[in-house]
Amino acid sequence: MTKEAAQARADQIRSFQEELRMLDAEGVASLDAGTWARVRAHQDRLLAGFSAAWDIDISGRQKQLSLGMRVIAFLGAAAMAAAVALLFRRIWGHLDTPAQVTLLIAAPLAALGLVALAAHRDRSGYFATIAGLVAFACFVIDLALLGSIFNVTPSQNAFLAWGAFGLALAYARDLRLLLVAGILSLLGYLTATAGTWHGVYWLSAGERPEHYILAGLAVFALSWAPHGGRTTFPGTYRLFGLLAVLLAILVLSNWGASSELPLSSRAVQHVYQVAGFAAAAAVIWLGVRRHWPGTTNLGGAFFALFLYTRFYDWWWAWMPRWVFFLVMALVAVLLLMVLQRLRRAAREVTP
């Protein structure tokens, strides 16, 4: 059993206990004292085992506190990484070359040791996340400065190395923040590589949004790869892969001059405006079909965004402002009605 599966089982136990109390209070169903005592004892043993093994949340209060702890862990990790980068910048000019190389080699290794220590001492993963992001920052600084010291020609391969390091650390310690760092680095590598295939210098590849579409599709495809039982990782790949695709289409639907298509800027915008609605609708359909709530929400958000940007282009210049916002509100009501009908239809076919 993974930590995610243990958390899901704990949530089911808590929901079962609450529902059973409500049924008993409403006089619908109840368990005799002996049966209820055996059920509670079994569930308490399960929860105690889950908490000891994975430090999961076994109460609503713990879940609320965990959300705040995740936010604090992210802010702390970002602050610690920034502190390490600024410390390198401050002392770098006072070191000779051997000391610089030694420091660059030792820093990520020491940070990896901190990750292992934090993961051993704290099962929640919050302190390991902070140490992991510090290790990732040290590795990024390591490659950048070593390349500068030895006059290595810069290339997009650095993104591949950063991505591999972040993904390896994420899978080794089940750290989603490091997974995100690895995915973003991988997106940078794939985007730059796709640009070089079209004869674009790798640093300028990001100026052509089509490269992000190819990179995003590749990352999205990785969601079907085996992830060693880490049930939250595929959703992260899907989210960032589709986000890259939809953002690129949104940019192209408004700034056609950045496209590589052999068409006029206006024609490119029209092509990607249609493609944006089709892609957002396809993402919604895929999310509903596969039961991926995050994918469905992402597609719905971008469908509304594509729609509202089109309304702005068509009507903002000549329509009275109050009429424009009234139309926007009415469209929102219409979309809610359509989604409500789809929701009811889904409820009717649910066994």
Side-chain angles (χ1 to χ4, degrees), residues 195-272:
T196 59
W197 292 344
H198 291 81
V200 179
Y201 183 55
W202 70 274
L203 280 176
S204 303
E207 299 175 1
R208 300 297 183 182
E210 280 98 349
H211 302 154
Y212 287 99
I213 296 177
L214 297 175
L217 291 174
V219 170
F220 174 74
L222 290 176
S223 64
W224 276 284
H227 300 281
R230 291 165 177 81
T231 56
T232 60
F233 281 20
T236 306
Y237 280 98
R238 287 193 296 268
L239 176 64
F240 282 92
L242 293 175
L243 184 62
V245 172
L246 293 173
L247 278 175
I249 295 176
L250 180 63
V251 171
L252 288 164
S253 68
N254 291 279
W255 293 280
S258 60
S259 173
E260 290 187 335
L261 294 180
L263 301 172
S264 66
S265 177
R266 178 66 66 178
V268 168
Q269 290 176 198
H270 290 161
V271 168
Y272 281 104

Side-chain angles (χ1 to χ4, degrees), residues 43-324:
Q43 292 178 339
D44 288 343
R45 285 194 299 270
L46 288 176
L47 293 175
F50 295 157
S51 181
W54 290 285
D55 194 21
I56 63 169
D57 301 320
I58 60 175
S59 68
R61 184 180 296 273
Q62 283 185 323
K63 268 206 160 185
Q64 293 174 355
L65 291 174
S66 292
L67 178 60
M69 291 172 68
R70 282 193 290 270
V71 174
I72 292 173
F74 170 75
L75 296 176
M80 186 66 74
V84 170
L86 293 174
L87 177 62
F88 268 86
R89 181 179 179 182
R90 182 173 183 83
I91 67 174
W92 196 246
H94 302 286
L95 302 176
D96 56 15
T97 299
Q100 290 176 346
V101 174
T102 302
L103 179 62
L104 290 176
I105 295 174
L109 294 177
L112 287 175
L114 287 176
V115 174
L117 179 62
H120 178 72
R121 294 291 184 88
D122 178 62
R123 294 182 302 276
S124 66
Y126 298 119
F127 296 101
T129 296
I130 295 176
L133 195 59
V134 171
F136 183 80
C138 289
F139 187 72
V140 171
I141 296 171
D142 191 352
L143 287 189
L145 292 183
L146 281 176
S148 177
I149 291 173
F150 296 105
N151 198 26
V152 177
T153 302
S155 73
Q156 73 272 20
N157 295 330
F159 285 101
L160 180 60
W162 298 338
F165 183 85
L167 294 177
L169 194 54
Y171 281 91
R173 296 298 177 181
D174 197 10
L175 302 175
R176 290 187 66 188
L177 187 58
L178 271 297
L179 178 67
V180 172
I183 289 174
L184 293 178
S185 299
L186 185 60
L187 278 171
Y189 169 75
L190 293 174
T191 301
T193 301
T196 59
W197 292 344
H198 291 81
V200 179
Y201 183 55
W202 70 274
L203 280 176
S204 303
E207 299 175 1
R208 300 297 183 182
E210 280 98 349
H211 302 154
Y212 287 99
I213 296 177
L214 297 175
L217 291 174
V219 170
F220 174 74
L222 290 176
S223 64
W224 276 284
H227 300 281
R230 291 165 177 81
T231 56
T232 60
F233 281 20
T236 306
Y237 280 98
R238 287 193 296 268
L239 176 64
F240 282 92
L242 293 175
L243 184 62
V245 172
L246 293 173
L247 278 175
I249 295 176
L250 180 63
V251 171
L252 288 164
S253 68
N254 291 279
W255 293 280
S258 60
S259 173
E260 290 187 335
L261 294 180
L263 301 172
S264 66
S265 177
R266 178 66 66 178
V268 168
Q269 290 176 198
H270 290 161
V271 168
Y272 281 104
Q273 286 165 10
V274 175
F277 286 110
V283 169
I284 295 173
W285 174 84
L286 183 62
V288 173
R289 181 71 178 270
R290 293 280 185 169
H291 304 286
W292 295 335
T295 301
T296 304
N297 295 335
L298 180 67
F302 268 91
F303 190 90
L305 189 58
F306 280 116
L307 188 63
Y308 287 151
T309 53
R310 298 284 64 76
F311 287 167
Y312 179 85
D313 289 341
W314 295 336
W315 299 330
W316 180 260
W318 62 270
M319 184 177 287
R321 299 296 181 260
W322 70 272
V323 177
F324 176 82

